[in-house]
Amino acid sequence: MGGMFGKPASEYEVFSKPLTPGDGPPASALVIVNPYGGGGRGPRTLDQVQPILESAGIALEVAITARAGHAIELARDATHPCVIVIGGDGTLHEAIQGLMARPAGSPGVTFGIIPSGSGNTVAWDMRISSVAEAAAAIVGGATRRIDLAELSADALELPSIEGGGGSDTRPAEKASPNAVTAVLEGPRGYGDKIYSINIVGWGLPATVLRSAEELRCCGGPAQYNLAAYRSLIANRAYHASVSFEEGYANPYAGSTHDDDSYIMVQSQTTVHMGDKMPFCPRAKLDDGLLDLVMIRHTSRCGLVGIMENAKVAKHTEGPQVEYHQVASYTLHPTKADSGPLSVNVDGELVGFSPCRVTCIPGAIEVYSAW
């Protein structure tokens, strides 16, 4: 299958349940367009798909995002049965927050995904290989329900956390969403829960994003490549306790990895991350499980080897890598790297820790062609 950017679309089998036949296209749709992502590709993509959608009888209301967090508001307040997102993973991430913030009893909304950003990981997993194909899926009306991950701080107990020098500690206390309210209820419009449609990454994934912000002057892929190289050279160890709850199909269920040293702890609902790397090759978008990869601290050469193997989904075979499929887990940083803006959620530095991450099975409905 030909890809949008000259590569084949994902050939992983990412669904465990059958496609639900549709009754045709939606009567109307809100189209959320990110005009900046993907080098300004959004408006051009709208020009391509608008005639296809309107010729199928779909009445369109077009909304152009004007600021960070705008897509959250637009999706939350949508009055149409369908919300179509023209953008990348970041725009889709925001729209998901809006959908999950809709008041109880609000009419159901089905998502249409038309990729036009610099990162289109969810579309890639769904084998959406062109803009026309994405539009055709919406017109066809067939749907699937896919999972989300929910990041929350509800009623978690914090362990003692050492200060930067390792000598100062603070006693255990309840982790409260109020501790992060000032950040989460700022201009981005997040609440005390954050939802992920792709990745929840702590340790290296958050550090790279933070470093990339400092290198924004470089622009484009260069800032992320430089941030990754800088983090690789630093080769930091991140200390955390990770626990799995009883009752899940996991050999470590009910156990805790106490104060272990990691490079990263990352869960996904998708197979791919970043530049189409199959980081969680066993993931399904609709199996009710999070695929959790924990990479223990190792040498620089060891880390390079793991990431090279990850490009072909062979990293899970190494001794420094643990791969779990769980319904829920908790993460408690034990020395640093906790608090607001310490977790990478779908490529956005908006998550907090300590946290509980839980799979919400079938949380959203999306149009799908296969």
Side-chain angles (χ1 to χ4, degrees):
M1 183 182 292
M4 291 179 61
F5 307 108
K7 299 179 180 179
S10 171
E11 295 182 359
Y12 284 83
E13 179 55 64
V14 297
F15 293 113
S16 61
K17 298 179 176 65
L19 186 71
T20 301
D23 297 323
S28 64
L30 172 68
V31 183
I32 299 175
V33 183
N34 179 351
Y36 306 110
R41 191 182 296 125
R44 298 194 299 274
T45 300
L46 175 64
D47 290 342
Q48 287 180 261
V49 301
Q50 190 163 0
I52 299 172
L53 300 174
E54 290 182 335
S55 66
I58 306 173
L60 301 181
E61 176 188 352
V62 177
I64 309 296
T65 59
R67 61 188 180 279
H70 195 187
I72 299 177
E73 302 167 20
L74 293 169
R76 181 194 63 209
D77 300 335
T79 58
H80 300 277
C82 172
V83 171
I84 298 171
V85 177
I86 297 180
D89 292 328
T91 312
L92 182 59
H93 166 83
E94 286 196 358
I96 294 298
Q97 311 312 308
L99 174 68
M100 299 304 287
R102 288 166 68 86
S106 296
V109 170
T110 303
F111 268 101
I113 301 172
I114 300 182
S116 67
S118 54
N120 303 290
T121 308
V122 178
W124 185 266
D125 265 28
M126 292 183 64
R127 297 188 188 176
I128 296 175
S129 61
S130 70
V131 168
E133 192 170 283
I138 297 169
V139 171
T143 62
R144 292 185 181 275
R145 297 206 71 91
I146 64 174
D147 305 336
L148 295 178
E150 178 189 82
L151 185 149
S152 68
D154 293 343
L156 292 180
E157 294 284 351
L158 279 66
S160 295
I161 297 178
E162 296 182 11
S167 57
D168 296 328
T169 62
R170 60 181 173 83
E173 56 182 296
K174 289 285 187 181
S176 168
N178 294 333
V180 292
T181 294
V183 174
L184 300 181
E185 293 186 353
R188 292 297 294 270
Y190 288 91
D192 59 8
K193 290 180 171 62
I194 300 177
Y195 297 91
S196 164
I197 195 170
N198 180 203
I199 73 168
V200 176
W202 175 84
L204 185 65
T207 296
V208 169
L209 267 189
R210 192 175 296 110
S211 181
E213 284 298 309
E214 298 170 0
L215 297 168
R216 185 175 288 275
C217 59
C218 300
Q223 73 185 94
Y224 294 98
N225 290 336
L226 287 172
Y229 292 141
R230 188 159 80 175
S231 299
L232 174 63
I233 292 169
N235 193 32
R236 278 193 56 197
Y238 302 86
H239 297 267
S241 293
V242 182
S243 60
F244 309 105
E245 298 184 18
E246 294 280 6
Y248 303 133
N250 184 289
Y252 291 94
S255 68
T256 299
H257 291 42
D258 281 322
D259 196 18
D260 284 341
S261 176
Y262 297 100
I263 289 172
M264 61 188 292
V265 176
Q266 178 164 299
S267 64
Q268 298 182 199
T269 54
T270 57
V271 169
H272 294 87
M273 74 163 191
D275 190 20
K276 313 304 183 288
M277 179 185 288
F279 198 66
C280 291
R282 302 172 210 161
K284 306 287 185 186
L285 295 175
D286 61 353
D287 64 355
L289 296 172
L290 304 173
D291 283 50
L292 176 64
V293 176
M294 305 192 302
I295 303 179
R296 296 183 184 280
H297 191 256
T298 185
S299 66
R300 293 181 182 89
C301 289
L303 176 57
V304 170
I306 290 170
M307 291 306 179
E308 284 299 308
N309 284 334
K311 294 178 182 179
V312 290
K314 291 185 176 179
H315 58 300
T316 61
E317 302 168 7
Q320 296 300 111
V321 180
E322 289 187 28
Y323 191 113
H324 305 278
Q325 290 183 298
V326 299
S328 178
Y329 67 95
T330 59
L331 170 76
H332 290 107
T334 52
K335 292 192 176 178
D337 305 292
S338 64
L341 311 185
S342 60
V343 179
N344 177 338
V345 183
D346 299 343
E348 305 289 330
L349 194 60
V350 295
F352 50 83
S353 61
C355 60
R356 174 177 287 115
V357 185
T358 305
C359 185
I360 310 297
I364 63 169
E365 185 176 53
V366 296
Y367 288 105
S368 178
W370 66 280

